[in-house]
Amino acid sequence: MLIYETFSNFARHNVWKYMILKYDVIIIGGGHAGCEAACASANMGAKTCLVTMDMNKIAQMSCNPAVGGIAKGQIVREVDALGGQMGLITDATAIQFRMLNRSKGPAMWSPRAQCDREKFISQWRRVLDNTHNLDIWQDQADELIVQETATAGNNKENGSKTYIPRHIKRVTGVRTIWGVELHAKAVVITAGTFLNGMMHIGDKMVAGGRIAEPAVKHFTESITRHGITSARMKTGTPVRIDRRSVHFEDTEMQPGETDFHKFSYMGEARPLPQLPCWTLSTNAESHEVLRRSMESSPLYNGQINSIGPRYCPSIETKLTTFPDRHSHPLFLEPEGMDTNEMYLNGFSSSMPINAQIEALKCIPALRDVKVYRPGYAIEYDFFDPTLLKHSLESKKIEGLFFAGQVNGTTGYEEAAGQGLVAGANAALLAGDDNTETSYGTRFVMHRDESYIGVLIDDLVTKGVDEPYRMFTSRAEYRILLRQDDADARLTKRAYELGIAGRNRFDWWEEKNSHIEHIIEICRKTSMSPKETEGMLEAFGTTPLRTGCKAIELLGRPQIDIYKLAEMIPELKEALDAPENRKEEIAEAAEVRMKYAGYIERERDIAEKMHRLESMKIKGKFDYMSINHISIEARQKLSRINPETLAQASRIPGVSPSDINVLLVLMGR
């Protein structure tokens, strides 16, 4: 039960000074990272409080109302497999779904969905309101409350022991702008773009974390005073357009897909009707308008100094980077089923308002355009992610976790993945019996286990010099990290940790048993030249000369599992059950069999790397005293202080020869 306490100071004021709310875990920020963190923590049994500035904008899609995309879709499926909510809510609110990269192999397939913005928010609010152990407090965090204690330590110097005190900082809560203190064993910071946020349109600058929403002014300073470093980043968003002013006859329609694919492994088919998107492009005339106003762009007149996302550039950046291009593709996407508001993907800008509108009117489809609001850029504070552990707990302050854009990332999906990990670890910390020690079990994922693991390892090992966005190319084990098998990789582990519930684990167990049954049929069934006579030629592949197992036939690119089933009645029967997800099961079984050789090879490589992962080196070396490694390696190893030899090998500037030196020293 929630405990309310008060401090009084009657001697001076004769008024109540503070109200204190006590929890196990506090989440600061109600965006995508905060919502997943809150649900993960609460579902694991921790009494959790989500602090948000506006309860009506929970999980607001600040930019594009879309979820997924290349590599991002894999992250959402991993969040779902771990018991998170983003996949379920996306499916419930999707108004257009597509599976990207179908022309490539299954390891590259990525789901993406356009969502109804308002329904997405209301669906998230419904989930949070019905999550046991979770309270929502509408307020603004103003100050981090940190307790510092000194403990005995020791320092070996000239062969003798000299005992010196070791100062430990531990978070105990936060204080809000309304004077409320929230106390907890763990605090998760997921403040998005709100920390000292500053919005830019032309030469106009307005403090804010999002359009029409205030910035958080002092919270960064209450964190950095404890040795955590911060810097500035920039992101932006395009104009919002009134669909009634668009000439759709001058665009190309892009319909969605209506097959069985969705984000969540749970639940039924996507319920909402599918709406189209439209493609169009800029032209030379619109470029000329923008170039004439370039000196008024905050990005190029010195008004903005921070770095924006490389892979989602503004329209003015595109014109500068590709001066010879006469057009750039744009995508007109609906914001919802019950609104005329549309999102112009590809036209992110902070140019003056009149320049944005004049340039848009040079595009035939937008010649009569009306906008709801212009695009804008926003600068905000983030914190150095190399000062975090792989659990996303701070190395400087025990019990303090960071997730989302405050770690230097961009994207709802990257934020959600971090939020789930941070929330789970905050709950694990809160449940530790001995909070005086360096804690017990933590939820850490490896690079061969998930894209979330790749994301977090990149952040804490390499740091960021621009907003980090996930791509499949960042993962060295892409065949192991497919979108179709996230449940196989993660659900059992999530269930054992208490993140995922029993119903999700049973759902996976049932699916896996059907997959194994299908694979076993293909392994044991022998195919003879006589049995397949005529059928293989009809499928466009060469006939058999000798017998083989059915699983070998499936290795041929012309043969899919349904064609194989036409030759094997038992397989055809197995593919028909269970009815509500037979296509998903068939696809998962086929991919596992078709790519078995590649999967096994990549697994062997990953196992070799695990040997380095098992070599713990944290606290074993004074790197600055090791003269046989480079100065750059000494500096970076000292600053990051990697947990394992494998993590050390991934630090930029640490060479293979440096790793060999550490291996020799470990042998000694």
Side-chain angles (χ1 to χ4, degrees):
M1 184 175 179
L2 180 62
I3 301 174
Y4 291 86
E5 293 185 0
T6 57
F7 284 147
S8 61
N9 193 353
F10 286 105
R12 288 187 297 169
H13 303 294
N14 196 30
V15 294
W16 295 108
K17 189 174 182 183
Y18 292 121
M19 181 173 75
I20 295 180
L21 309 180
K22 289 189 174 182
Y23 289 93
D24 296 322
V25 175
I26 298 167
I27 314 294
I28 305 299
H32 303 275
C35 288
E36 291 291 356
C39 282
S41 172
N43 287 332
M44 292 176 68
K47 294 177 182 177
T48 305
C49 182
L50 174 63
V51 181
T52 178
M53 293 167 61
D54 190 342
M55 292 172 62
N56 296 314
K57 293 186 177 176
I58 291 282
Q60 169 73 289
M61 295 170 129
S62 306
C63 198
N64 189 357
V67 171
I70 306 301
K72 292 170 174 282
Q74 281 90 326
I75 290 177
V76 180
R77 299 220 87 189
E78 290 172 357
V79 168
D80 181 73
L82 289 166
Q85 301 298 316
M86 180 176 265
L88 285 163
I89 291 172
T90 300
D91 288 338
T93 61
I95 53 179
Q96 191 196 80
F97 183 95
R98 298 180 68 201
M99 183 66 75
L100 306 182
N101 272 348
R102 282 185 183 271
S103 62
K104 301 180 180 179
M108 307 298 288
W109 293 358
S110 299
R112 181 187 186 273
Q114 197 75 18
C115 295
D116 185 304
R117 184 189 299 274
E118 294 303 320
K119 286 182 172 60
F120 191 90
I121 293 173
S122 63
Q123 190 76 11
W124 251 118
R125 177 66 184 276
R126 188 176 298 113
V127 168
L128 295 174
D129 283 341
N130 289 280
T131 297
H132 186 59
N133 292 323
L134 177 60
D135 290 345
I136 302 175
W137 180 262
Q138 183 166 301
D139 206 337
Q140 180 180 314
D142 191 55
E143 184 177 354
L144 192 70
I145 304 173
V146 176
Q147 180 184 70
E148 186 170 352
T149 57
T151 61
N154 68 78
N155 182 34
K156 290 184 178 180
E157 188 175 339
N158 298 326
S160 64
K161 281 189 176 182
T162 303
Y163 286 91
I164 59 174
R166 186 166 67 95
H167 293 276
I168 297 176
K169 292 184 177 183
R170 180 175 293 119
V171 70
T172 60
V174 295
R175 187 174 294 115
T176 76
I177 60 172
W178 292 108
V180 175
E181 286 193 1
L182 297 103
H183 290 185
K185 297 178 182 178
V187 174
V188 185
I189 308 297
T190 67
T193 61
F194 281 80
L195 300 181
N196 291 316
M198 181 65 67
M199 297 178 291
H200 301 261
I201 301 177
D203 61 358
K204 302 296 182 183
M205 300 168 60
V206 177
R210 194 161 45 212
I211 197 75
E213 297 182 55
V216 175
K217 291 290 188 181
H218 309 295
F219 198 49
T220 295
E221 290 69 25
S222 76
I223 296 171
T224 55
R225 73 169 62 111
H226 298 288
I228 296 172
T229 56
S230 69
R232 299 283 279 175
M233 279 187 177
K234 180 212 80 99
T235 188
T237 189
V239 298
R240 300 305 197 270
I241 288 174
D242 187 334
R243 68 173 294 137
R244 294 168 295 185
S245 66
V246 178
H247 291 270
F248 289 102
E249 67 274 13
D250 292 318
T251 66
E252 183 176 339
M253 183 183 290
Q254 188 179 59
E257 299 173 358
T258 57
D259 67 5
F260 70 94
H261 286 106
K262 53 190 178 71
F263 277 99
S264 179
Y265 293 98
M266 304 284 286
E268 302 301 324
R270 293 174 273 115
L272 298 182
Q274 298 294 285
L275 302 182
C277 295
W278 291 266
T279 60
L280 58 162
S281 62
T282 61
N283 53 30
E285 291 78 14
S286 60
H287 291 186
E288 182 57 33
V289 170
L290 294 170
R291 287 193 179 99
R292 288 200 304 266
S293 302
M294 197 66 78
E295 64 183 18
S296 300
S297 169
L299 291 175
Y300 294 99
N301 64 9
Q303 187 172 310
I304 292 177
N305 296 311
S306 51
I307 299 173
R310 178 196 304 265
Y311 302 105
C312 188
S314 65
I315 188 64
E316 48 264 48
T317 300
K318 293 177 185 177
L319 297 185
T320 305
T321 307
F322 307 103
D324 299 327
R325 289 280 297 272
H326 298 300
S327 68
H328 292 282
L330 303 175
F331 302 88
L332 199 54
E333 302 167 336
E335 294 264 329
M337 298 182 63
D338 306 316
T339 178
N340 289 316
E341 188 177 354
M342 302 196 77
Y343 177 95
L344 189 60
N345 197 339
F347 203 85
S348 179
S349 179
S350 58
M351 299 284 273
I353 295 174
N354 59 343
Q356 293 187 42
I357 295 175
E358 185 181 349
L360 290 174
K361 288 188 173 182
C362 294
I363 300 170
L366 305 177
R367 57 187 178 270
D368 297 315
V369 70
K370 292 182 179 180
V371 303
Y372 288 105
R373 64 171 171 80
Y376 65 93
I378 180 169
E379 291 183 287
Y380 56 94
D381 294 340
F382 78 98
F383 304 99
D384 182 2
T386 63
L387 298 178
L388 300 176
K389 305 173 186 177
H390 280 78
S391 63
L392 295 180
E393 184 183 11
S394 171
K395 295 176 181 177
K396 299 285 187 178
I397 304 175
E398 292 182 355
L400 180 63
F401 297 80
F402 293 85
Q405 284 183 275
V406 293
N407 286 340
T409 65
T410 180
Y412 312 140
E413 303 83 2
E414 289 88 342
Q418 294 173 70
L420 188 146
V421 171
N425 282 308
L428 288 170
L429 184 153
D432 286 332
D433 293 327
N434 185 0
T435 56
E436 298 298 321
T437 67
S438 187
Y439 312 124
T441 302
R442 290 294 173 266
F443 177 47
V444 174
M445 289 188 284
H446 300 292
R447 296 181 70 91
D448 64 327
E449 190 177 17
S450 68
Y451 274 95
I452 300 173
V454 173
L455 162 66
I456 293 175
D457 185 65
D458 280 352
L459 291 176
V460 304
T461 301
K462 302 175 182 178
V464 292
D465 54 12
E466 62 183 44
Y468 180 103
R469 177 179 177 177
M470 177 54 69
F471 289 100
T472 53
S473 59
R474 296 190 189 273
E476 57 269 49
Y477 306 115
R478 291 188 291 277
I479 295 176
L480 301 181
L481 306 182
R482 307 181 310 278
Q483 61 85 28
D484 65 89
D485 76 333
D487 51 354
R489 291 183 270 123
L490 302 172
T491 295
K492 182 179 179 182
R493 188 175 176 203
Y495 172 67
E496 291 171 347
L497 278 167
I499 310 173
R502 179 75 203 191
N503 62 331
R504 181 175 289 276
F505 179 70
D506 290 342
W507 190 260
W508 153 243
E509 287 274 272
E510 181 189 19
K511 174 184 172 180
N512 190 50
S513 67
H514 285 288
I515 292 172
E516 293 290 351
H517 179 55
I518 290 169
I519 293 174
E520 182 59 28
I521 291 172
C522 295
R523 280 182 180 149
K524 73 178 185 180
T525 303
S526 298
M527 309 295 292
S528 67
K530 185 175 182 180
E531 288 175 314
T532 59
E533 187 176 3
M535 298 191 73
L536 294 180
E537 294 94 320
F539 295 147
T541 185
T542 56
L544 291 176
R545 294 185 178 179
T546 59
C548 69
K549 296 296 183 183
I551 197 170
E552 296 175 53
L553 271 184
L554 195 58
R556 298 187 179 191
Q558 301 88 351
I559 304 295
D560 61 33
I561 198 163
Y562 294 105
K563 290 177 180 176
L564 191 64
E566 292 183 30
M567 298 179 275
I568 308 172
E570 185 182 1
L571 177 59
K572 188 172 185 178
E573 182 180 346
L575 292 177
D576 284 336
E579 176 64 31
N580 62 336
R581 49 185 176 150
K582 60 183 181 181
E583 295 96 340
E584 176 189 330
I585 290 171
E587 180 180 271
E590 180 175 4
V591 170
R592 200 185 291 186
M593 289 186 284
K594 268 187 176 292
Y595 295 89
Y598 299 101
I599 293 170
E600 190 62 34
R601 186 186 309 165
E602 204 156 89
R603 173 54 59 198
D604 289 342
I605 296 172
E607 288 298 328
K608 291 176 182 177
M609 182 55 68
H610 274 304
R611 298 171 195 168
L612 292 182
E613 294 284 5
S614 66
M615 295 183 178
K616 306 293 183 182
I617 61 172
K618 186 172 183 178
K620 292 188 176 181
F621 297 111
D622 175 7
Y623 295 107
M624 297 306 295
S625 68
I626 305 176
N627 295 324
H628 293 89
I629 63 178
S630 69
I631 293 176
E632 182 182 7
R634 285 179 239 168
Q635 293 172 340
K636 291 188 174 180
L637 287 167
S638 296
R639 180 169 62 86
I640 295 174
N641 194 15
E643 295 280 347
T644 67
L645 203 60
Q647 185 188 357
S649 72
R650 293 190 290 270
I651 298 174
V654 177
S655 69
S657 61
D658 297 326
I659 297 300
N660 285 335
V661 170
L662 296 180
L663 275 169
V664 171
L665 293 175
M666 287 187 71
R668 292 179 184 174

